[in-house]
């Protein structure tokens, strides 16, 4: 067995270590969501925590880790006899991204249940994690229904498996830790709220701290056992402190003054619901116990707010997480009462100072940047406007305008890919799925997962006499079993191809265009899509954002999008075609929806109109679903976007018709439905 990296050897990451330790002291805090870039010791710290947890006593032979003193009365392996038990380390169970629902909650053997009347249950990862740690790396990449099941079990302390009338329940109380890289997509606000605490981590910008990270990592890799031995005393001290804090926790007093500060803070930051208040109260109590106190002080409330509130203020994917600390201090001071105070330095509560008195282990606290980020922040080449004249601007070269701000987003009409797909679960296009409405039945291919009861009975009924059954009841054999075929919704790749040329550069017009794309991005977030962004202007096209699940990253790139120059429509379409070709190799099951945002003009390059037509027909030949958002405005309109949509084999919609409550769009839908009925 490999030797884990010691928890106390982790360099920096004070908030991460504190959040994990508070959950170890009081699992009722509700777990930790760790957000941060790759390579910041997220997984290292979580795996190291399991070695610090006290051992647990379990009933011998129980697959569900029942406690000998208070076994679960509904345990599937029960009832348990008094006496026989064993001690073992607390488990850390990892949930892989590709796990199925059966692997998470357990699987019922439906075949044995129907044919033999036996309730055979194979426990899942939730049962394995009972009284330990359940670690979900890349939790934002899990299917939504798995995240729902996971968080429901964490909230209720039990897991329920119910299928075709067979029901199993078992205890599932665990410390839930999820890690994620925000660049790969966000969790829904409703799911964020279910995590007790959240921590933002990033690599240190301090050279000395980075040197220490590398030094310790190399030392551990060269001699894991020897490195762990050097940190054994620090590990034992933290382990003892966790035990002492757990024993002290029931004696900690949460006074009315602290409760008032908690309520005032949650109200001041306008968090939804009451879960934040409860989590803050539990966190502040755990902080007091960790510090060895029996009274909750204002400093505990402040630290609890910094850990429990930032992710609960996020109401849309475009909201940046965080907390205004000045506002927090003002609220605590305003509602502070007598007897509260204490130093707010974090040095006294640092759980694991290194041997040199400094912080310890891979990673590090984020340091302030020296200046604004400069990724892609290069000056654009001067371009002429559509009429050959330089466009007005305030910062770029000639032909480039200062980026216009996006208009307020709105609810859009549903754009979908026609046909029936088999991609990842989502909410956009029709697809064959494990979850959804039942549309038919078939023979199982492999293990039976979703029984179609009526089809199974229908298949078994004609053979009852041959099987010796003459009275009531039904003899069901394996060949009779039928798998339910279900239809649900899938997520798609929504690839935006945005015209950023001079013809789109009028400030008010580009603001409306960005607002429309932002609205479509918000819709893509709600429907669990991947998104990509291609822009074209001047003489070339650019992949501004490769396909990703991070909708907020697309919104950031869109906001800073410059405009100006001629319109290389063909280059934009060809660049989008290349992006789709590569993405099909990576994710062949995910179907694409291409949204071209343009007025339809083509002025860049040789024979621009003919070349754009040939590029568009590539999409039509491959059957790629395309929608053109017509941005043409003014009393005289050329209808070029509609012509482009025809060559793409798709449809066109104006900016006004894109709105879900658009009267023009509603009239067109009614006319289309009427025409379809007449044709039928």
């Amino acid at each position: 067995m490999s030797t884990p990296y010691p928890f106390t050897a982790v360099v920096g990451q004070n908030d991460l270590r504190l959040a994990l330790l508070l959950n170890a002291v009081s699992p009722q805090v509700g777990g930790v969501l760790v957000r941060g870039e790759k390579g910041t010791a997220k997984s290292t710290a979580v795996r190291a925590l399991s070695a610090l947890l006290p051992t647990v006593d379990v009933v011998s032979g129980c697959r569900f880790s029942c406690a000998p003193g208070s076994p679960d009365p509904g345990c599937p392996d029960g009832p348990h006899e008094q006496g026989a038990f064993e001690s073992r380390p607390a488990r850390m169970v990892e949930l892989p991204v590709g796990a199925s629902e059966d692997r998470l909650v357990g699987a019922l053997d439906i075949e044995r249940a129907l044919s033999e009347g036996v309730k055979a249950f194979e426990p899942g990862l939730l049962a394995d994690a009972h009284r330990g740690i359940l670690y979900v790396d890349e939790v934002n990449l899990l299917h939504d229904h798995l995240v729902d099941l996971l968080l429901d079990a964490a909230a209720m302390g039990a897991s329920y498996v119910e299928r075709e009338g067979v029901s199993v329940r078992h205890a599932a109380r665990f410390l839930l830790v999820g890690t994620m890289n925000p660049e790969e997509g966000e969790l829904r606000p409703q799911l964020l709220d279910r995590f007790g605490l959240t921590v933002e981590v990033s690599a240190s910008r301090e050279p000395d701290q980075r040197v220490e990270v590398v030094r310790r990592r190399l030392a551990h890799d060269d001699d894991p056992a020897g490195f762990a031995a050097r940190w054994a005393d620090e590990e034992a001290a933290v382990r003892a402190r966790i035990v002492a804090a757990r024993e002290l926790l029931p004696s900690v007093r949460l006074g009315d003054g602290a409760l008032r500060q908690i309520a005032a803070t949650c109200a001041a930051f306008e968090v939804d619901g009451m879960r934040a208040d409860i989590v803050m109260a539990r966190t502040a109590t755990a902080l007091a116990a960790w510090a060895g106190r029996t009274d909750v002080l204002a400093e505990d409330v402040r630290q609890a707010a910094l850990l429990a509130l930032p992710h609960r203020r996020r109401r849309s994917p475009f909201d940046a997480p965080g907390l205004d600390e000045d506002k927090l201090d003002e609220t605590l001071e305003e509602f502070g009462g007598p007897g509260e105070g204490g130093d707010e330095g974090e040095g006294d509560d640092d759980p694991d100072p290194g041997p040199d008195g400094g912080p310890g282990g891979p990673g590090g606290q984020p340091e302030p940047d020296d200046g604004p980020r400069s990724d892609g922040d290069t000056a654009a080449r001067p371009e002429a406007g559509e009429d050959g004249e330089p466009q007005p601007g305030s910062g770029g070269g000639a032909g480039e305008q200062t980026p216009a701000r996006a208009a307020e987003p709105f609810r859009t009409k549903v754009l979908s890919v026609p046909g029936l797909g088999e991609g990842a679960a989502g909410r956009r296009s029709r697809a064959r799925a494990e979850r959804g409405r039942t549309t038919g039945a078939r023979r199982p291919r492999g293990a039976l997962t979703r029984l179609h009861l009526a089809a199974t009975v229908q298949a078994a009924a004609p053979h009852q006499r041959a099987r010796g059954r003459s009275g009531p009841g039904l003899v069901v054999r394996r060949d009779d079993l039928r798998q339910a075929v279900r239809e649900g919704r899938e997520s798609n790749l929504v690839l935006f191809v945005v015209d950023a040329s001079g013809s789109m550069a009028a400030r008010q017009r580009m603001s409306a265009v960005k607002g429309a794309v932002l609205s479509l991005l918000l819709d893509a977030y709600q429907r669990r899509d991947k998104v990509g962004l291609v822009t074209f202007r001047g003489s070339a096209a650019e992949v501004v954002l490769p396909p990703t699940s991070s909708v907020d990253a697309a919104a950031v790139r869109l906001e800073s999008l410059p405009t100006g120059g001629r319109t290389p429509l063909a280059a934009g379409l060809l660049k989008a075609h290349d992006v789709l070709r590569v993405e099909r190799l990576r994710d062949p099951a995910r179907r694409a929806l291409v949204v071209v945002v343009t007025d339809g003009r083509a002025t860049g390059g040789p024979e621009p109109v003919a070349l754009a037509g040939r590029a568009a027909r590539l999409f039509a030949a491959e059957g790629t679903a395309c929608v053109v958002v017509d941005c043409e405005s003014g009393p005289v309109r050329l209808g070029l976007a509609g012509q482009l949509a025809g060559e793409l084999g798709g449809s066109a919609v104006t900016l006004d018709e894109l709105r879900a409550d658009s009267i023009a769009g509603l009239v067109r839908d009614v006319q289309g439905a009427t025409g379809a009925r007449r044709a039928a």
Side-chain angles (χ1 to χ4, degrees):
M1 181 177 178
S2 60
T3 304
Y5 194 95
F7 186 86
T8 50
V10 174
V11 176
Q13 306 296 22
N14 294 335
D15 288 343
L16 170 59
R17 291 180 296 166
L18 180 60
L20 292 172
L21 289 168
L22 292 177
N23 274 271
V25 171
S26 176
Q28 287 186 318
V29 165
V32 188
L33 176 64
V34 187
R35 297 162 43 93
E37 59 199 29
K38 54 186 177 294
T40 49
K42 299 190 297 292
S43 300
T44 298
V46 176
R47 293 189 176 98
L49 178 67
S50 61
L52 296 178
L53 297 182
T55 59
V56 293
D57 294 335
V58 299
V59 174
S60 298
C62 178
R63 297 175 297 167
F64 301 87
S65 301
C66 282
S70 56
D72 180 10
C75 177
D77 283 356
H80 299 298
E81 296 182 2
Q82 295 291 331
F85 71 93
E86 59 189 49
S87 295
R88 62 164 175 77
R91 290 175 179 160
M92 194 198 76
V93 177
E94 294 192 43
L95 176 64
V97 171
S100 64
E101 181 178 340
D102 287 345
R103 186 73 186 96
L104 176 64
V105 302
L108 288 171
D109 192 333
I110 301 174
E111 297 177 22
R112 291 188 64 192
L114 288 175
S115 59
E116 303 175 27
V118 176
K119 186 190 291 186
F121 179 68
E122 184 65 30
L125 295 176
L126 292 180
D128 293 342
H130 180 46
R131 305 175 68 198
I133 300 174
L134 181 59
Y135 173 47
V136 189
D137 194 14
E138 308 295 354
V139 64
N140 53 322
L141 301 184
L142 276 181
H143 286 187
D144 279 351
H145 76 279
L146 291 182
V147 179
D148 285 329
L149 289 170
L150 183 66
L151 295 176
D152 284 344
M156 295 186 295
S159 175
Y160 296 83
V161 184
E162 299 192 23
R163 293 187 184 166
E164 287 74 37
V166 182
S167 177
V168 173
R169 175 212 166 275
H170 65 83
R173 292 184 294 276
F174 46 81
L175 194 167
L176 176 63
V177 183
T179 59
M180 59 176 283
N181 184 344
E183 293 180 357
E184 297 172 340
E186 286 287 353
L187 279 173
R188 289 180 288 156
Q190 296 90 334
L191 298 180
L192 283 173
D193 184 52
R194 301 291 289 275
F195 280 94
L197 310 178
T198 188
V199 177
E200 297 278 343
V201 297
S202 62
S204 172
R205 302 296 185 263
E206 173 59 45
D208 290 341
Q209 201 169 58
R210 296 175 74 98
V211 167
E212 187 63 23
V213 170
V214 176
R215 181 182 291 121
R216 295 186 187 183
R217 185 77 250 183
L218 294 178
H220 174 266
D221 292 345
D222 290 343
D223 183 11
F227 185 83
R230 291 197 294 273
W231 290 88
D233 292 342
E234 287 83 354
E235 293 282 285
V238 174
R239 190 178 298 111
R241 189 171 174 183
I242 291 174
V243 173
R246 284 185 173 185
E247 294 174 350
L248 182 62
L249 188 65
S251 304
V252 176
R253 187 181 69 88
L254 183 64
D256 291 343
L259 273 173
R260 184 173 175 79
Q261 285 185 318
I262 289 170
T265 301
C266 292
F269 285 100
E270 300 180 352
V271 295
D272 296 330
M274 296 297 297
R275 185 176 283 117
D277 303 63
I278 297 170
V279 170
M280 272 191 65
R282 289 172 174 165
T283 304
T285 303
L287 279 162
W290 177 250
R293 289 186 267 100
T294 56
D295 287 309
V296 173
L297 304 181
E299 64 190 77
D300 301 322
V301 176
R302 186 182 192 278
Q303 183 64 60
L306 293 174
L307 293 172
L309 295 188
H311 60 302
R312 292 187 164 87
R313 299 188 62 245
R314 189 181 177 93
R315 288 178 168 80
S316 83
F318 311 132
D319 293 337
L323 211 61
D324 184 341
E325 294 194 33
D326 291 336
K327 181 178 179 180
L328 173 61
D329 291 335
E330 291 173 4
T331 304
L332 293 175
E333 184 177 354
E334 179 182 355
F335 291 90
E340 290 157 1
D343 296 333
E344 295 184 359
E346 42 183 79
D348 293 341
D349 288 342
D350 192 322
D352 51 332
D356 55 358
Q365 286 297 97
E367 297 291 335
D369 292 331
D370 293 332
R373 291 181 63 87
S374 59
D375 299 347
D377 192 21
T378 56
R381 293 190 301 272
E383 297 286 355
E386 288 294 325
D387 55 0
E389 295 298 323
Q391 299 291 326
S394 60
E400 179 179 303
Q401 291 196 355
T402 302
R405 293 186 62 84
E408 195 68 23
F410 52 84
R411 189 166 63 90
T412 67
K413 295 179 63 175
V414 180
L415 306 177
S416 61
V417 179
L420 198 63
E422 295 182 346
R427 295 186 176 182
R428 184 170 297 279
S429 305
R430 295 172 55 223
R432 299 181 185 90
E434 285 296 315
R435 303 170 69 87
R437 63 187 184 90
T438 301
T439 59
R442 60 170 172 79
R443 290 181 180 274
R445 299 166 188 163
L448 178 70
T449 56
R450 297 286 179 181
L451 178 74
H452 194 298
L453 187 58
T456 298
V457 171
Q458 192 173 23
H463 308 291
Q464 296 307 297
R465 181 172 296 179
R467 294 172 184 173
R469 171 69 68 180
S470 57
L474 195 69
V475 177
V476 178
R477 294 182 178 172
R478 181 180 179 83
D479 290 343
D480 303 323
L481 298 175
R482 295 294 182 268
Q483 175 85 23
V485 176
R486 302 193 173 192
E487 182 179 306
R489 292 278 167 176
E490 67 175 0
S491 63
N492 299 112
L493 165 61
V494 182
L495 181 61
F496 294 93
V497 186
V498 180
D499 183 348
S501 65
S503 66
M504 303 282 288
R507 184 60 55 89
Q508 188 174 359
R509 185 176 178 186
M510 198 60 196
S511 177
V513 168
K514 286 187 176 182
V517 177
L518 199 63
S519 304
L520 290 166
L521 283 171
L522 185 57
D523 181 70
Y525 165 79
Q526 293 168 342
R527 300 184 188 281
R528 318 292 178 259
D529 296 316
K530 290 180 71 174
V531 296
L533 181 60
V534 173
T535 65
F536 56 95
R537 57 183 289 270
S539 60
E542 178 186 5
V543 181
V544 176
L545 183 71
T548 176
S549 296
S550 181
V551 174
D552 52 340
V556 170
R557 307 292 172 87
L558 177 72
E559 190 68 30
S560 60
L561 183 66
T563 57
R566 304 189 72 83
T567 312
L569 177 58
L573 295 176
L574 291 173
K575 181 68 72 173
H577 188 266
D578 287 343
V579 170
L580 292 184
R581 177 179 55 80
V582 173
E583 196 63 20
R584 286 192 192 102
L585 297 175
R586 293 175 176 166
D587 192 356
R590 190 184 295 268
R591 299 187 295 164
L593 172 64
V594 178
V595 180
V596 185
V597 185
T598 181
D599 57 10
R601 294 188 185 186
T603 61
E607 299 183 359
V609 176
L611 190 57
R614 288 199 293 271
R617 288 190 286 275
L618 290 175
F619 292 86
E622 294 175 353
T624 303
C626 298
V627 175
V628 178
V629 178
D630 184 358
C631 301
E632 195 173 26
S633 60
V636 179
R637 305 194 182 190
L638 304 177
L640 298 177
Q643 296 177 22
L644 175 63
E647 292 178 318
L648 287 165
S651 58
V653 58
T654 66
L655 287 174
D656 289 337
E657 292 170 345
L658 190 61
R659 295 178 180 269
D661 54 355
S662 166
I663 295 178
L666 179 63
V667 170
R668 194 177 68 168
D669 290 346
V670 171
Q671 289 174 342
T674 304
R677 286 196 297 269
R678 287 174 180 170

